[in-house]
Amino acid sequence: MAKSPHLVVLTGAGISAESGIETFRAADGLWANHPIEDVATPEGWAKNPQRVLSFYDARREQVRDARPNAAHRALANLEALGFDVSIVTQNIDDLHERAGSRQVLHLHGEIMVARSSVDERMRYPLGRRNIAMGDVCDRGSQLRPDVVWFGEAVPAYQEACELVADADLMLVVGTSLAVMPAAALIHELPLDAQCVLVDPDPGLQVPAGVTRWVMPAGEGVPALTRHWQREGRLFVPPSGNA
Ligand code: APR
C-alpha cells in the first residue's frame, strides 16, 4: 500500500502571535524586555532561580489566557481529515495541542510542564499550577520549567531531523530561522520535496528554492490547507495565491 504523503510543519513564535502571545525578536518582543542571560540560560537559573520562575510564570499565564488561532486550527483539521501531518514546534505553548493536533514535537520544551533540575527524565505536568521555590522533584531538587535554555542540548533534534527527512512537503510558519539547530532542519528536506514558508516579514532571509507566502499565519495557513483539502494532495500553490 502506497505511503500517504507526509507534511512536516516547523512552527515558531509567529504562529501564536495572532493568539496574543508575543514573539521574541520583534522590536517590542520578549528579548527586548528581558535579558536572555538572566531568564533563559543555566547561568541565569543558578544566579537567581526566582527571577527565572517569575519570568515563566508570566508567560504561562499569557498562554493560559490565549486561544488557538485559525492557523493552529487549520493544521489540526488537516490531521483530522486523514492527512499525515507532523508538527515540529519551537514554541513552548500548548496551542497546537489545544487546537487538536496530536503529532506535536516540542524542540524547546513545554511551559506547562515542570522538571527536575538534576534529572530531565523527571517531568511533572503543571495543570493550573506554577512552579514555586521549594517545589522539588522526587530526589529533592528544585523544579524548573521543562524548557530548553540557550546553551543547553536540544534532545528532540534527532527525532525532528528524521521527520523532516521523511517529508514530502515542508511548511515553515512564523519563525525568523535565527536559532540553531532548529533553523538547520530545513536542510534535512529530501531533494525531491518542496518547502513553503508563511511569514509577513518581506525581509526574512530564506534558503533558495523555498516558496514564500508573505502574510500572517492566520491568513496563509488556512488558505494552504484549503488548497490541499480541495485537491486531496499536498503541493505548493503559486506564491501568495490564497
Ligand atoms: N504570522 C506569521 N509569522 C509571524 C506573525 C504572524 N502573525 N507575526 C510575526 N511573525 C514572524 C516574524 O516575522 C518572525 O519571522 O514570526 C517570526 C518570529 O521570530 P522570533 O521572534 O525569532 O521567534 P522564533 O523564530 O520562534 O524564535 C526561535 O528563539 O529565543 C528562542 O527559544 C526561543 O523558540 C524560540 C527560538
Side-chain angles (χ1 to χ4, degrees), residues 11-19 21-26 29-31 36 40 56 59 69 71 89-92 107-108 147-150 172-180 182 197-202 204 213 215-221:
T11 65
I15 198 169
S16 297
E18 290 157 270
S19 295
I21 296 179
E22 59 209 322
T23 62
F24 294 96
R25 292 172 183 82
L30 212 57
W31 298 145
I36 288 179
Y56 284 96
R59 295 184 60 201
N69 63 53
T89 188
Q90 299 171 85
N91 300 340
I92 58 177
L107 279 178
H108 297 161
V147 169
V148 176
W149 287 329
F150 286 92
V172 179
V173 188
T175 176
S176 61
L177 296 171
V179 169
M180 290 302 206
L197 180 143
V198 177
D199 192 304
D201 179 1
L204 189 66
W213 281 36
M215 60 187 75
E219 178 188 346
V221 177

Side-chain angles (χ1 to χ4, degrees), residues 3-4 8-9 11 41 44 53 66 69 99 108-109 120-122 131 136 148 163 198 218 220 222 225:
K3 169 176 150 331
S4 58
V8 177
V9 190
T11 65
T41 63
L53 292 178
N69 63 53
H108 297 161
E120 64 185 28
R121 293 165 302 177
M122 302 174 90
I131 307 172
V136 294
V148 176
L163 285 171
V198 177
T225 58

Side-chain angles (χ1 to χ4, degrees), residues 58-239:
R59 295 184 60 201
R60 195 172 297 112
E61 287 315 312
Q62 197 182 50
V63 170
R64 287 190 174 116
D65 293 342
R67 294 283 170 273
N69 63 53
H72 298 106
R73 293 196 301 273
L75 294 173
N77 184 46
L78 201 64
E79 183 185 330
L81 289 172
F83 283 81
D84 183 7
V85 183
S86 299
I87 295 175
V88 176
T89 188
Q90 299 171 85
N91 300 340
I92 58 177
D93 66 52
D94 60 352
L95 296 183
H96 283 301
E97 290 89 344
R98 283 162 55 192
S101 289
R102 285 190 303 285
Q103 301 192 108
V104 183
L105 181 66
H106 284 270
L107 279 178
H108 297 161
E110 299 177 70
I111 198 168
M112 293 305 180
V113 177
R115 74 164 159 84
S116 164
S117 44
V118 294
D119 180 346
E120 64 185 28
R121 293 165 302 177
M122 302 174 90
R123 301 170 74 242
Y124 307 83
L126 283 167
R128 302 296 305 166
R129 289 171 296 126
N130 285 324
I131 307 172
M133 288 307 292
D135 290 348
V136 294
C137 70
D138 298 349
R139 288 170 54 183
S141 291
Q142 174 64 45
L143 291 182
R144 56 168 276 188
D146 184 28
V147 169
V148 176
W149 287 329
F150 286 92
E152 293 188 314
V154 180
Y157 186 65
Q158 183 51 39
E159 185 180 352
C161 286
E162 289 160 12
L163 285 171
V164 176
D166 180 62
D168 296 287
L169 178 64
M170 185 171 187
L171 166 61
V172 179
V173 188
T175 176
S176 61
L177 296 171
V179 169
M180 290 302 206
L185 280 172
I186 211 163
H187 303 298
E188 298 293 328
L189 200 54
L191 292 178
D192 60 350
Q194 290 186 294
C195 184
V196 54
L197 180 143
V198 177
D199 192 304
D201 179 1
L204 189 66
Q205 297 301 309
V206 300
V210 173
T211 300
R212 306 188 51 168
W213 281 36
V214 184
M215 60 187 75
E219 178 188 346
V221 177
L224 280 164
T225 58
R226 278 194 297 275
H227 274 291
W228 297 332
Q229 291 167 25
R230 192 167 48 234
E231 302 276 328
R233 65 187 175 93
L234 296 173
F235 66 106
V236 179
S239 175

